[in-house]
Amino acid sequence: MQEAIDFLVTKNPIFREIIEKYGLPSIPKRPQGFETLVLLILEQQVSIDSAKATFLKIKNYTICNPETMAVLPDEEFRNLGISRQKTKYIKILAEAVLNKELDIENLASKSAKQVREELIKLKGIGNWTIDIYLMFCLQEPDLIPLGDIAIVNTIKELFNIHDKGEMEIYTQEWSPYRSYATYLLWHYYLNKRNRKITY
């Protein structure tokens, strides 16, 4: 991580200011696999804490694996607090694994581009979900998830860039460590709001 931090502070003094004020960010890590993808589907457009609470309800109720999720009745998903749309996405994911359309274990041996091409085929798994899976599970060092509202808002605030296309171009100078820049921006966003998140 130190090499990435050293690189980023030479690119922009804002990164040094974040570290001086709030310390070093934690590097999020999650296990690879079906469960994490289910959790990421639950996290879409809601808070991490709320999604985690729903995920724990699933885990306390049944086994979170493709075999169980594919056949769990929609009504039981609803009783667990999962929307109809997210129920559909979880079932599509489960069926893709069971039908061998998706080999989750094999994603670690592929490039970020290949992983994106595999996962984007599944309805309900978009670029934000893929970015987070690549960063948290596969430790991809060079991604900036511009589908993440906290990242977009922090770039607007700190760099006064308001157009996503311009953000994409501007953040290229942080390559090959854009994921570490993302961790610093999240770190700033959460600390400024006195929020604690366990990834």
Side-chain angles (χ1 to χ4, degrees), residues 17-59:
E17 288 166 29
I18 293 171
I19 294 162
E20 282 171 358
K21 192 162 187 183
Y22 299 119
L24 289 169
S26 60
I27 304 302
K29 285 195 170 87
R30 285 186 184 172
Q32 297 171 37
F34 178 79
E35 280 197 2
T36 296
L37 280 168
V38 169
L39 176 57
L40 287 171
I41 288 170
L42 294 174
E43 282 177 1
Q44 292 167 6
Q45 297 174 319
V46 301
S47 74
I48 284 183
D49 292 338
S50 155
K52 205 170 269 183
T54 306
F55 182 67
L56 288 174
K57 278 187 201 167
I58 298 175
K59 298 264 286 177

Side-chain angles (χ1 to χ4, degrees), residues 74-185:
D74 288 8
E75 188 183 343
E76 293 183 40
F77 274 100
R78 192 163 59 248
N79 293 339
L80 292 164
I82 301 164
S83 70
R84 186 181 300 164
Q85 194 177 39
K86 288 186 180 179
T87 296
K88 189 175 162 189
Y89 296 162
I90 291 168
K91 290 196 166 195
I92 288 169
L93 172 64
E95 281 157 14
V97 174
L98 294 174
N99 297 336
K100 309 265 191 291
E101 290 164 40
L102 175 66
D103 181 353
I104 298 179
E105 304 312 313
N106 200 27
L107 293 177
S109 65
K110 300 189 171 185
S111 70
K113 184 172 180 287
Q114 289 170 321
V115 171
R116 193 176 303 280
E117 285 166 0
E118 289 256 331
L119 290 175
I120 204 81
K121 293 177 200 164
L122 300 178
K123 189 172 172 61
I125 295 189
N127 282 314
W128 178 84
T129 305
I130 296 165
D131 286 344
I132 304 302
Y133 191 84
L134 280 164
M135 291 165 69
F136 288 19
C137 303
L138 302 179
Q139 305 303 304
E140 169 59 42
D142 194 29
L143 275 177
I144 188 123
L146 292 177
D148 188 276
I149 196 152
I151 291 300
V152 168
N153 286 341
T154 304
I155 291 173
K156 284 178 184 174
E157 181 187 338
L158 294 179
F159 303 96
N160 197 26
I161 302 168
H162 295 265
D163 175 79
K164 274 198 191 176
E166 287 176 31
M167 288 179 190
E168 185 72 58
I169 294 161
Y170 185 82
T171 58
Q172 278 170 11
E173 70 171 36
W174 304 340
S175 185
Y177 296 117
R178 284 176 294 180
S179 299
Y180 291 90
T182 300
Y183 304 141
L184 280 161
L185 296 178

Side-chain angles (χ1 to χ4, degrees), residues 21-22 49 186-197:
K21 192 162 187 183
Y22 299 119
D49 292 338
W186 272 329
H187 191 52
Y188 169 88
Y189 179 89
L190 292 166
N191 277 286
K192 193 171 180 205
R193 289 156 182 80
N194 288 317
R195 285 176 57 198
K196 285 273 178 283
I197 278 185

